[in-house]
Amino acid sequence: MDSSTNHKHIIYQMFPRLFGNTNTTNKFYGSIDENGVGKLNDINDKALQELKAMGFTHIWYTGIVEHATMTDYSQFGIKPDDPDVVKGRAGSPYAIKDYYDIDPDLAVDVKKRMKEFEALVKRTHTNGLKVLIDFVPNHVARTYNSDAKPKGVRDFGADDDTTQAFSPRNDFYYTPGQAFVVPQGYNPGGEGFTSPLKDGKFDENPAKAIGNDVFSATPAINDWFETLKLNYGVDYLNNRECHFDPIPPVWQKMYDILHFWTEKGVDGFRCDMVEIVPAEFWGWLIPKLKEAHPQLIFIGEAYDPRIYGKYIFTGHFDYLYDKEGLYDGIRRLTRNEWNATIWDINKVVFYESKDFPEHMLRFMENHDEVRIAAPDFAGSPWLAVPGMIVTATLSTGPVMIYSGQEVGEPAVGPEGFSGNDGRTTIFDYWGMPELQKWVNGHKFDGGGLSDEQKQLRRFYSTLLNVAGQNEAFTHGNFYELMLANQHSRGFDERVYAYLRYTDVQRVLVLVNFSRYEREINIMLPRDVIDMMLLRGAIAFSDMLGDKVYHTINIEDGLYIKLPASGGVLLNF
């Protein structure tokens, strides 16, 4: 049994800074005035209705919380950030400057930025969708300074004893006697950016440890030098000795922060880099928040399959990224790499997440990964069709799409701090040219899309609605068919097959990762034929199209031609 639940979360990851931006300039290292920026108010009822119709149940609004930036908002009482410790003109959304505030870039009226967010939450709910936002627990911006914190809240580090490298009562880790040194060679904002604060220095003495567990005053340029690591009671320099009793101050501060956002109507959190925060903290935090809000969902960004179970059963996460398992295997198959094999999928099914498939979040794109249409991935969005079918239907767990994926956004060219790496920048002011064709001046009607892009978007819409509205996928069982078909006609390491079924619905999933059409004869094992009481002639209807396939005798299998880089969901 895959899951006891009767629903499937279908998540649209949206970066508001990019999503509503209709400016097409895209100047390298451009400013907010040159390249423009999307606003929360751009995400109107029509946009949300279109996403709802596409099959989505949740919107993950990425980069909502205020983070460090090179844009000056001092006229609004916001303290400027030193660009020497900011990555990109817009700044990283994972270098949080104030856990209690909204990124001013996203507001039409900066002074009313929280009200604009509250209106977006209400608008999202009114249109039948739930709201997810980021929670970044491991680190904060080097310039963290909360000017929006509720009365009585103490800022991180305000009560620290900075003479100690580690204390269980401190919020940060320190390097006593050493001042922080900006990595040599960093040129914030590029050649055209000037600021009185851009001097290659940042005043921090003693230096604090940084987010990627570097306990040094002189981090390298490839480190997360713009962030400060928070102290959850683990003494990393003393055999990772844990001090969890009494509860470290950071634990309670983080609870207060998430409680604040749940009171704003947020329905769940995508939690950043959960494995570098102790599982014991999550095991304390998540149940405590769910006492008052039992429907909250927690998604963890995780990368080590060996400890997935720990973060699900001890940490109480609802879902974890399935990146190192399913994503990596499907990426190799989609790229037609020489060592790609469908047995990588079976490794996930039978080993890595065998005991908790319903807890794994599947995807083929997110903000950290190369775009499917980028040359460094597949070069064509259509090559992802078989992978997306598997991603969406392999288990009852959630599936996620990254904004722009549905129209083939390729992320071509360098944007500024982000190089030409096939990823849409999270550090720079930018517009997504292909998504802008669907946004169409905030009409959200796809008026600028090509016929091929409209067809691609229809594929995603059909797939996601089928996955979210049919019980075989929302709470059905899984039966792997590759072992029974190793020697069947047309099968090799580029073809994959399985069943999803309940007592009242049965779906045969067939995908072909090969670049060529495949003629196959799929055999159902005797135990499946007997369990499902199958006899004689059977009709199979493709849920992704209008074709119907027939077999005269099910015991002889089903003959079918699978299109190159394609697949079918056969209801029978």
Side-chain angles (χ1 to χ4, degrees):
M1 176 66 88
D2 215 21
S3 173
S4 60
T5 60
N6 60 1
H7 60 277
K8 185 177 181 76
H9 299 323
I10 300 179
I11 301 167
Y12 189 74
Q13 183 189 1
M14 177 198 296
F15 200 4
R17 184 202 293 167
L18 299 170
F19 180 78
N21 187 17
T22 56
N23 186 317
T24 59
T25 304
N26 283 357
K27 176 184 175 182
F28 181 70
Y29 262 125
S31 69
I32 189 171
D33 294 325
E34 292 169 322
N35 283 353
V37 68
K39 304 292 184 180
L40 300 180
N41 286 0
D42 295 335
I43 309 164
N44 58 28
D45 285 316
K46 181 63 161 56
L48 294 167
Q49 289 160 9
E50 288 295 319
L51 293 173
K52 175 70 173 177
M54 200 171 181
F56 293 104
T57 60
H58 293 68
I59 310 292
W60 165 19
Y61 293 116
T62 305
I64 290 290
V65 179
E66 185 181 3
H67 55 268
T69 179
M70 294 186 194
T71 300
D72 188 350
Y73 285 100
S74 56
Q75 63 177 307
F76 300 101
I78 299 172
K79 185 178 179 180
D81 299 299
D82 189 325
D84 292 299
V85 287
V86 178
K87 291 181 177 178
R89 293 289 291 269
S92 168
Y94 295 98
I96 300 298
K97 179 179 179 177
D98 187 345
Y99 279 115
Y100 288 100
D101 210 348
I102 294 294
D103 177 14
D105 278 350
L106 304 180
V108 173
D109 184 340
V110 173
K111 292 182 178 179
K112 297 181 178 178
R113 56 193 181 274
M114 185 60 77
K115 289 189 180 298
E116 290 184 19
F117 174 71
E118 291 167 349
L120 175 62
V121 172
K122 183 178 180 180
R123 198 158 60 245
T124 306
H125 289 160
T126 299
N127 285 288
L129 294 157
K130 293 188 181 298
V131 173
L132 305 176
I133 67 170
D134 289 288
F135 172 47
V136 187
N138 177 63
H139 49 267
V140 295
R142 209 145 209 131
T143 53
Y144 189 90
N145 175 56
S146 178
D147 53 22
K149 59 185 180 292
K151 186 177 180 180
V153 170
R154 299 286 290 167
D155 249 352
F156 289 96
D159 305 309
D160 281 6
D161 179 354
T162 62
T163 66
Q164 298 191 61
F166 167 81
S167 164
R169 307 309 297 166
N170 279 354
D171 294 334
F172 295 118
Y173 300 89
Y174 295 90
T175 309
Q178 298 182 53
F180 172 74
V181 178
V182 174
Q184 190 172 9
Y186 183 50
N187 182 22
E191 296 300 329
F193 176 73
T194 59
S195 165
L197 297 174
K198 181 180 174 179
D199 58 4
K201 301 175 183 177
F202 181 71
D203 185 15
E204 181 183 288
N205 192 358
K208 303 180 181 76
I210 68 174
N212 60 324
D213 292 359
V214 172
F215 298 84
S216 167
T218 56
I221 199 165
N222 292 324
D223 287 322
W224 304 352
F225 66 85
E226 81 281 19
T227 68
L228 302 172
K229 184 172 180 64
L230 289 167
N231 175 6
Y232 284 82
V234 180
D235 188 351
Y236 286 88
L237 300 182
N238 187 22
N239 298 317
R240 293 179 176 259
E241 189 175 273
C242 296
H243 301 262
F244 300 154
D245 186 13
I247 294 296
V250 166
W251 290 30
Q252 185 61 48
K253 288 176 179 175
M254 289 305 189
Y255 168 81
D256 292 339
I257 288 162
L258 291 196
H259 177 74
F260 171 85
W261 290 107
T262 59
E263 293 299 303
K264 297 289 182 186
V266 170
D267 301 294
F269 301 92
R270 177 269 188 190
C271 304
D272 189 66
M273 297 299 294
V274 301
E275 292 163 327
I276 50 177
V277 173
E280 291 82 356
F281 163 72
W282 298 112
W284 173 86
L285 175 80
I286 293 174
K288 188 174 173 67
L289 283 161
K290 287 192 175 187
E291 287 176 6
H293 302 278
Q295 300 307 312
L296 278 177
I297 69 169
F298 285 82
I299 299 170
E301 179 193 13
Y303 296 102
D304 187 349
R306 297 170 299 176
I307 56 175
Y308 283 170
K310 180 179 182 181
Y311 281 83
I312 291 168
F313 300 116
T314 300
H316 297 289
F317 273 95
D318 297 291
Y319 310 109
L320 297 179
Y321 273 32
D322 195 352
K323 194 276 178 190
E324 297 295 319
L326 190 67
Y327 169 88
D328 283 351
I330 284 182
R331 186 177 190 273
R332 286 191 290 271
L333 285 161
T334 302
R335 286 169 47 82
N336 201 32
E337 295 181 10
W338 69 270
N339 62 340
T341 168
I342 53 85
W343 300 106
D344 282 347
I345 302 175
N346 272 357
K347 183 178 70 172
V348 172
V349 169
F350 290 123
Y351 299 103
E352 289 180 358
S353 58
K354 176 176 71 73
D355 297 326
F356 38 81
E358 70 275 18
H359 291 288
M360 303 310 294
L361 169 71
R362 269 72 190 248
F363 53 84
M364 284 189 70
E365 281 192 3
N366 66 47
H367 68 274
D368 285 319
E369 307 303 338
V370 175
R371 291 283 194 178
I372 295 163
D376 287 346
F377 193 150
S380 165
W382 288 104
L383 294 176
V385 167
M388 271 312 307
I389 291 173
V390 174
T391 297
T393 67
L394 189 66
S395 79
T396 63
V399 58
M400 183 172 74
I401 304 295
Y402 185 33
S403 179
Q405 176 182 346
E406 72 276 26
V407 294
E409 189 67 47
V412 173
E415 299 107 333
F417 182 81
S418 288
N420 188 12
D421 60 2
R423 297 172 175 85
T424 299
T425 180
I426 64 169
F427 303 100
D428 307 283
Y429 296 111
W430 205 252
M432 293 189 285
E434 303 311 315
L435 186 71
Q436 285 173 335
K437 296 174 183 178
W438 175 73
V439 171
N440 195 25
H442 300 145
K443 296 176 185 176
F444 300 102
D445 60 2
L449 295 176
S450 67
D451 288 343
E452 185 175 359
Q453 286 176 311
K454 291 176 182 177
Q455 185 181 353
L456 180 67
R457 198 171 182 279
R458 281 195 296 271
F459 161 73
Y460 275 97
S461 181
T462 301
L463 174 64
L464 298 177
N465 276 289
V466 166
Q469 296 176 18
N470 286 272
E471 64 177 60
F473 305 120
T474 61
H475 60 281
N477 297 298
F478 172 89
Y479 193 107
E480 192 267 1
L481 292 173
M482 295 308 298
L483 295 176
N485 284 278
Q486 292 182 68
H487 306 295
S488 297
R489 176 182 176 181
F491 277 84
D492 63 10
E493 295 188 346
R494 293 294 188 274
V495 176
Y496 194 60
Y498 53 95
L499 291 169
R500 294 300 311 276
Y501 66 96
T502 65
D503 290 340
V504 298
Q505 187 179 36
R506 302 173 298 216
V507 181
L508 171 61
V509 182
L510 298 171
V511 294
N512 173 23
F513 287 95
S514 168
R515 300 289 200 268
Y516 306 98
E517 180 184 77
R518 287 296 178 85
E519 296 184 25
I520 68 169
N521 195 68
I522 176 79
M523 303 294 296
L524 298 185
R526 168 54 59 184
D527 61 335
V528 169
I529 291 174
D530 292 343
M531 175 182 66
M532 295 183 177
L533 303 177
L534 302 176
R535 299 291 182 268
I538 302 289
F540 295 80
S541 301
D542 186 10
M543 304 171 83
L544 298 177
D546 54 8
K547 287 188 177 181
V548 180
Y549 303 87
H550 299 272
T551 180
I552 297 174
N553 184 354
I554 191 62
E555 296 194 20
D556 294 331
L558 171 68
Y559 169 80
I560 184 173
K561 291 182 179 180
L562 285 177
S565 298
V568 291
L569 298 177
L570 301 179
N571 194 29
F572 68 100

